[in-house]
Amino acid sequence: MVKVFDCPKSLTDMPTHYCPGCTHGIIHRLIAEVIDELGIADKAVGVAPVGCAVLAYNYFVCDMQEAAHGRAPAVATGIKRVVPEGVVFTYQGDGDLASIGCAEIVHAAARGELITTVFVNNGIYGMTGGQMAPTTLPGDKTSTSPYGRDTKKQGFPIRVSEMLATLDGPAYIARVSVHNVANIVKAKRAIKKAFEYQIAGKGFTLVEVLSTCPTNWGLTPKESLEKVQRDMMPYFPLGDYKDIEAGEKK
Amino acid sequence: MVKVFDCPKSLTDMPTHYCPGCTHGIIHRLIAEVIDELGIADKAVGVAPVGCAVLAYNYFVCDMQEAAHGRAPAVATGIKRVVPEGVVFTYQGDGDLASIGCAEIVHAAARGELITTVFVNNGIYGMTGGQMAPTTLPGDKTSTSPYGRDTKKQGFPIRVSEMLATLDGPAYIARVSVHNVANIVKAKRAIKKAFEYQIAGKGFTLVEVLSTCPTNWGLTPKESLEKVQRDMMPYFPLGDYKDIEAGEKK
Amino acid sequence: MTLGVIMAGFGGQGVMLMGQLLTYAGMLDGKQVSWMPSYGPEMRGGTANCTVIIADEEVGSPLVTSPDAVVALNLPSLDKFEDIVKPGGLLIYNSSLINRPPTRTDIRIIAVEANDIATGLGQPRVANMVALGALLEATSLISEASLEQALRNILPAHRQELLPINLQAIARGRASVEPVLA
Amino acid sequence: MTLGVIMAGFGGQGVMLMGQLLTYAGMLDGKQVSWMPSYGPEMRGGTANCTVIIADEEVGSPLVTSPDAVVALNLPSLDKFEDIVKPGGLLIYNSSLINRPPTRTDIRIIAVEANDIATGLGQPRVANMVALGALLEATSLISEASLEQALRNILPAHRQELLPINLQAIARGRASVEPVLA
Amino acid sequence: MKQRVLMKGNEAIAEAAIRAGCRFFFGYPITPQNELPEYMSRRLPEVGGTFVQAESEVSAINMVYGAAGAGARVMTSSSSPGISLKQEGISYMAGAQLPAVIVNIVRGGPGLGSIQPGQGDYFQSVKGGGHGDYRLVVLAPANLQEAVDLVTEAFDIADLYRNPVLILGDGLLGQMMEPVEFRQSTPRELPAKDWATTGLCNHNGQKNVINSLVLHAIDLEAHNIHLQEKYALIKVAEQKAELLHCDDAELVVVAYGSTARIVKTAIAQLRDQGHRVGLLRPISLWPFPEDAFAKVMPVAKDFLCVEMSAGQMVEDVKLVVNGARPVHFYGRMGGIVPTPNEIATQVLQIMGVK
Amino acid sequence: MKQRVLMKGNEAIAEAAIRAGCRFFFGYPITPQNELPEYMSRRLPEVGGTFVQAESEVSAINMVYGAAGAGARVMTSSSSPGISLKQEGISYMAGAQLPAVIVNIVRGGPGLGSIQPGQGDYFQSVKGGGHGDYRLVVLAPANLQEAVDLVTEAFDIADLYRNPVLILGDGLLGQMMEPVEFRQSTPRELPAKDWATTGLCNHNGQKNVINSLVLHAIDLEAHNIHLQEKYALIKVAEQKAELLHCDDAELVVVAYGSTARIVKTAIAQLRDQGHRVGLLRPISLWPFPEDAFAKVMPVAKDFLCVEMSAGQMVEDVKLVVNGARPVHFYGRMGGIVPTPNEIATQVLQIMGVK
Amino acid sequence: MAKVTFNEERCKGCELCIHVCPVKIVIMQKKFNKRGFNPAGVSDMSKCIACAACARICPDVVISVDK
Amino acid sequence: MAKVTFNEERCKGCELCIHVCPVKIVIMQKKFNKRGFNPAGVSDMSKCIACAACARICPDVVISVDK
Ligand SMILES: Cc1ncc(C[n+]2csc(CCOP(=O)(O)OP(=O)(O)O)c2C)c(N)n1
Ligand SMILES: Cc1ncc(C[n+]2csc(CCOP(=O)(O)OP(=O)(O)O)c2C)c(N)n1
Ligand code: SF4
Ligand code: SF4
Ligand code: SF4
Ligand code: SF4
Ligand code: SF4
Ligand code: SF4
Ligand SMILES: [Mg+2]
Ligand SMILES: [Mg+2]
């Protein structure tokens, strides 16, 4: 018998604290698989955000730092400058990265900082109980947009990948999704490419992953995956937004 | 005899503290002319930045607030929400807007906040004595890039207009220049359009103005204008980046 | 007189609401009351509990270290709180989900088949009300009238149709106490 | 002994460098020294000044309220500092640019045509050195050797060719003092 | 008696603010105060007000600056790390003399710490976590009725003195429910906000500027002296404290906020046992209620300061007592709420009982 | 005697840091400390180090967090408003026990204030401007030689105790030039940074985590107790103060940093006139040099605290003196540097002369 | 022959694996695991094609697949 | 006839006006204003075409133009 699929070595045994069906867990696994495949567990340093993934430092078998809310790219910059031979990644939610940490991610990208960011876009503040995120879709109800996000007063969702792709510092920026198996496979490919580009010193890399929050969306895990495809993907189209090896496209 | 050109009423008599030949003065005058022409001096509220224009509150004949470094868009948001019938503008340098205040401008733009930002891009921190700005050109020497801006370590300039144009909140975003008379005339037109769009409630508006810093560039005022055309304009192309009335272009 | 009650269960079993109803009823009875949730690092699906104080004087600490009564809707809650019930106090546990009987002998213990009774009523989600009914019956913490009024006030306008089933559940909870006393 | 000197002029006249040279020379003479610039809100093109202390003991305040000597390279500086020179102190002013003579009678006053002399040397920018020469001559603050050494050390390697013209300016400044004393 | 409603602390504070005329709220989510902005996001639109979820706490406090400068009654709230981020903005508001109410529902620190209740932000609140010489008026309610009442006070004090006011709560207060009554307070006479930047047309064409920059040292000193004079006035006029059983108390426990509740329970026990113990509960942490200390000094032999911190208010107690009596300290940290028994034990130890 | 070089304060601090082995600097421009990052941007590349101009002070302190967590000797510097922005990050560093050196070249406040020297950030520095119970070691040099010497000390203390150290200067110190000598200090024995996140391959495959989150109250309390025990050690071991003419001083002036220089000039004058006046100059502001006070108490009848603030350190002086002697205060604000004459006048008034 | 193994104690009963199995053999079990969830399992292992879809979608690395 | 007026005390002598005048009549004066700058002026007003280029480029609103 041959192993077709097994738990990656770069994940610890500790069960995660994520809610049932939350796709944070899938994304964690993909990162761990990539770390395994690239054989970089012993030189990877991860940076956990403040968000539902705040305990991510418990789940990866590599050195980790827990950053202040939104500041993971700055923390990662500090680490990478000290350990240039290390492989440094941040794992950040949409509140963390696109709201409070907006300046940090823009500037890490503009600096072409040699780090990889996995950006988990679930359109909500999961950890704090379902408040509006910068990526919450127009009309969606959250605990701070109880009447539905009104673009007149609360503005429009930010398309982070498109925005960062206007900069010269990034080497690779892609938006992927984990709402079905085919996309999970693609998502892993993107994350792997991002890490490879970092290792090759090509520039800043970011993979935006459309993710779910069944708990705060008030949907079952399955319905949540459907919402990603039905509602999120039209607003946040999947694709490579920047690939210095391939030229820009979209 | 008819007046062909006179000092706008919306500028106070106070001579500015700007260095000889600094184009901050031209940009001030253009804003004042627009305020005059639109007849909005009695309902305009300006927000001064921290930067060489920190004393801008002395120069405009309208209510003014002095914001913390980078936070003018947040301050303007507070004002506009309280005085929705007012015409609220921020005046910000590139350090103020594109560096420390990066999150604030991105989010004011994403919210479609009904304010107008005049963004003075002189590729340097004027007030603090010539440090590198996010818009400093590759290779340019500043007091914190003494060996010339090395894109490998210090990253690439941020093109603010292009970046913000990826958002859905802005109604009008344009880059103009004041390095010669023809462009000064165009710059004024852009600033006027921005104010008009704000008054019409169309959305967030921003005019990026390429400007000079003879003192910290170590050039004469005339050489500085030449540098704008020769060095800055290729990296920061002029044009409308977003105009919801005209569709996006570039 | 100051009485402290801890109510505990899985998230989703409605222990928070149960505690709020008790508190509300106490307030309507003219008592001094407070309600304090646990809001720790537990994730959704984990355990949840709240502390209710009903007193004649100003409420000092809204927390209690030895509660006068504990209502435990699941096993982890029983495990966690059985030991701290004040000697002579009351422990109500949901015998539908808890398969080990409590071991304390110095307190009054009431088993309520909360889930079974609720399911019997055709509405499994009112198990918490069944337990609350048992508490009402077993103590003189609050009056029945106030509890009913509290329920009316707390149910939002578009949910008032749920009033009867909740009242029924409370009644069945009260009724379930007798056999244990016997 | 603690002596305080204020040097003032337009930004660009080189008062800061002049003060640094004086301080450096004092240090080479084995004295305790400090240099403190004004770094106020004045814009470029405005006035600039610095305070130099040369002392035998540890320098306390690096600022002085009544300086032992003032070197004023332009009119606003003279206006600002003439009054605070310590009685019996020294005031050197740049008579090339300042057209009103000082009015104090309780201090020693030296007029130096700093700009004219510098222009005469073919290098208008060494007017500050001319004034410094005058100060060297009129006081015993520092030694000539130390000043020359300071100049050598402060000039960056690729600017050493400017040494002669600076030394010349200092010499002419020294020379210019005589007539006034006469 | 007016109607009492059962509310969560965070929501009660929000509702009280709306009743006090607050129509603008700028905030950012953080536990354990999320119900406050959430409530505002539901309620403010109903009363014609505006709720904005800012991109960060830094941005939120600067929105508050702008709105306060435009003359609004405006509030923001956060919890410890978020309040740290607001320090620059708070210093600016104090410098520009802008009235606003800031709520800190303190959690365990330092750093990310935990979300459990704490009182480790006392120094930051009363000594000034931001730069420069400034003071916030700091009000620390111990129950929800008081929280509700102090919110109105806070807005009035802010407007009267043109100074930000901080309401210092903690997770316990924010998360608990108690009955509250929204009563009409006797309004203070407040000056018109003729300094607000609402556009020249709204104030007779005279230009208004909101600013904290004062370039020349002599002017900035004058500005600072003005601020200090204002603080001196506040110090005289705005001290608030509760004294409980202090008339004959040989040992006075000093505690504020939630901790004071626990202390009350402990004191009730101790009094039952016949011990002469009292409570001095500072309600205004700045100005620190020095007058209240003067009242208890004649009888008190010892002071015991109890805090959910390593000991911060204890310094202010020592400063008031000035060596005249021993000042003891008992503290718990990290989100641990002390029990009445623990406190009683400390008291008895100091009193030399048993 | 080694060679003395004439340097600006900001540059001398930067050079001293490099000589102390600092190879990483993250900062953001602000007057009056700009020469410090500028110097670093020139010099660090020459020694194989890294200078990054961060996008803000918030980002800078978090870069420092990352770099310190990866085991580097790292520094940041700023001035008042910028330091306020760093408060959240500083609290995180204290919580995660990360060693680094932070320089604050204080200016006039509050708010934008001015760029002139000030000492209004004392409270923020020593009481904790951030949230939670933590302490920075705070060192306040009074001249450039001392600044240079203390920089090495600061890095060593930071590494020894795994705690951030703040160097508190002001515009005067940052902008002035004085001769300095970079001398070899006797290095302390420092523990290996085996906790740093440099990748598993660099520390035997054992996972390292840098973190300040401690979810359970009981654990967070334990963590806080550990921090407090560490602070207690520091309090014993790291007090620093200068005593000048205190042996027979009836009046002891207490002043730190630049102000202490002015006080020295004043005292020289007063001594010349025969007055028994001394100076107690705290060099470590936290831990506050209580031991030095014990030394002067037997003779001192009065204390006069002089600050460029509305009176902040005066509270710590009062806490030490604990009512045993009168503590007077004289302060200037807003960037005004007091003159020796002003101070002498105050002293004479207190001494009842004339 | 294909074999799918469930680390039942890790399962949170989210049911995502059920929906992606092309041969519809993944089911939820009646029993509870220690954390109170009904874990997933396979009804008829012989039908399994070892596609690993279930494993790939599982957020909790419950499933391993052999062939 | 065109007329260009210089508010000389505001002039900072930056010389930008000189370069933009299409008829090259703007010059720097020898005298100093109170702030120590040589103010700009016009050498031969009759040549002025009132194009206001000088006024538009002036950063210090020194110049007004009549026609
Ligand atoms: C300075 C600061 N502000 C706010 C918070 C509270 N907070 C914790 S997580 C979070 C948002 C999390 O949302 P997101 O980044 O989208 O992650 P998710 O939980 O959705 O995965 C917030 C606001 C904090 N811890 N620190
Ligand atoms: C929080 C904070 N950080 C830094 C500063 C110092 N500072 C003042 S102006 C400025 C940059 C100004 O540059 P820019 O915005 O480009 O305006 P310019 O002077 O070039 O017009 C900086 C960093 C400050 N005042 N406050
Ligand atoms: S709250 Fe939402 S994002 Fe967070 S673990 Fe639960 S489902 Fe996932
Ligand atoms: S420093 Fe530069 S930007 Fe500032 S006023 Fe002078 S020339 Fe203009
Ligand atoms: S491996 Fe494929 S076929 Fe087998 S159980 Fe999983 S999803 Fe079904
Ligand atoms: S996807 Fe994983 S966690 Fe969810 S039910 Fe299936 S095995 Fe369990
Ligand atoms: S108006 Fe035109 S022609 Fe006349 S002086 Fe000015 S630039 Fe020259
Ligand atoms: S452009 Fe204006 S400031 Fe410059 S020289 Fe001409 S008139 Fe003077
Ligand atoms: Mg999210
Ligand atoms: Mg600039």
Side-chain angles (χ1 to χ4, degrees), chain F residues 1-23:
Chain F
M1 200 179 83
K2 279 191 61 180
Q3 211 203 318
R4 298 196 304 165
V5 286
L6 190 62
M7 286 183 100
K8 253 199 167 186
N10 286 327
E11 299 190 338
I13 291 171
E15 180 62 30
I18 289 173
R19 295 193 187 218
C22 170
R23 287 296 174 273

Side-chain angles (χ1 to χ4, degrees), chain A residues 147-159:
Chain A
Y147 308 109
R149 183 178 189 157
D150 174 359
T151 56
K152 280 269 164 216
K153 307 241 153 183
Q154 300 172 301
F156 295 85
I158 295 176
R159 295 188 190 86

Side-chain angles (χ1 to χ4, degrees), chain A residues 93-95 120-126 133:
Chain A
D94 43 4
V120 179
N121 177 358
N122 60 4
I124 202 136
Y125 284 30

